[in-house]
Amino acid sequence: MNIDFDKNNDGLVPAIIQDATTRKVLMLGYMNEEAYLKTNETKKVTFYSRSKKRLWTKGEESGNFLSLVSIKNDCDNDSLLIMVHPQGPTCHKGTDTCWAEENEASFGFLSELEGIIAHRKKMSEVEPELREDKNSYVVSLFDKGMNKIAQKVGEEAVEVVIEAKDNDEDLFLNESADLLFHYLILLKAKGYGLKDISKVLEERH
């Protein structure tokens, strides 16, 4: 790997640390060539500490090491993207990331949709006359209970199978979206989410 450690006068390049599983950015550090070589040798991420003026292996005091998965160079050869498996919180303040975020997998818009469904579930636990949205379809499903929610998932699954045998791609995609939407509701009704299903799939892999 061709890394331009001479581009900056201090011989350092920024190293962005990302969780290989959740894809969350955990922290930013700096490496010189010696830190880079030690990281590859030990498989534990090592930085050059600008405050301590020496090499510093993340976790050398706390035990919260960053186990190396891979290192990628950027297009200008002057910054690194390092994928890791964190062994505990990354930030020295005890949080998962240096931005005080939880290190959980994000599924893009589906995670946002899960949040909306979770809010609707809480709304269903409020007396009907006190609800902010009295015409919510999702709330009405939670009101009707597990059997109705499970039934809807079954109905949507059948629709997907039917459309899969046809040639109308638009209908197939729409029915697939309906199935996934209702499945997310079922997961929430059971107290689970996509991260739980992802974990099961990872364990099978």
Side-chain angles (χ1 to χ4, degrees), residues 102-193:
E102 290 187 6
N103 185 21
E104 293 186 349
S106 175
F107 302 94
F109 174 70
L110 292 181
S111 293
E112 182 180 341
L113 187 56
E114 279 191 306
I116 294 171
I117 291 170
H119 179 69
R120 296 291 190 270
K121 185 176 186 296
K122 286 184 179 179
M123 195 186 302
S124 72
E125 298 165 0
V126 175
E127 293 296 326
E129 62 273 12
L130 300 177
R131 294 173 183 173
E132 57 189 61
D133 184 352
K134 296 179 172 58
N135 298 307
S136 168
Y137 170 71
V138 176
V139 171
S140 71
L141 278 182
F142 282 120
D143 283 345
K144 292 172 183 175
M146 186 65 67
N147 288 344
K148 183 61 177 179
I149 295 172
Q151 178 187 333
K152 284 297 297 181
V153 172
E155 291 172 358
E156 298 300 341
V158 171
E159 292 293 335
V160 169
V161 172
I162 292 172
E163 295 305 331
K165 295 181 178 182
D166 204 346
N167 294 319
D168 191 325
E169 300 303 316
D170 187 58
L171 273 177
F172 171 71
L173 289 175
N174 275 279
E175 292 297 346
S176 296
D178 287 344
L179 173 58
L180 181 53
F181 176 65
H182 286 89
Y183 178 58
L184 291 175
I185 295 173
L186 178 62
L187 280 176
K188 181 55 63 177
K190 294 290 292 183
Y192 297 108

Side-chain angles (χ1 to χ4, degrees), residues 23-45:
R23 304 293 170 169
K24 279 282 189 180
V25 174
L26 304 177
M27 66 171 290
L28 172 69
Y30 292 87
M31 284 186 174
N32 59 11
E33 187 170 9
E34 188 180 1
Y36 168 74
L37 292 174
K38 184 174 181 181
T39 295
N40 277 283
E41 177 187 352
T42 64
K43 304 304 178 186
K44 289 183 173 64
V45 176

Side-chain angles (χ1 to χ4, degrees), residues 26 88-91 94-98 100-104:
L26 304 177
T90 296
C91 184
T95 55
D96 287 349
T97 80
C98 288
E101 296 176 329
E102 290 187 6
N103 185 21
E104 293 186 349

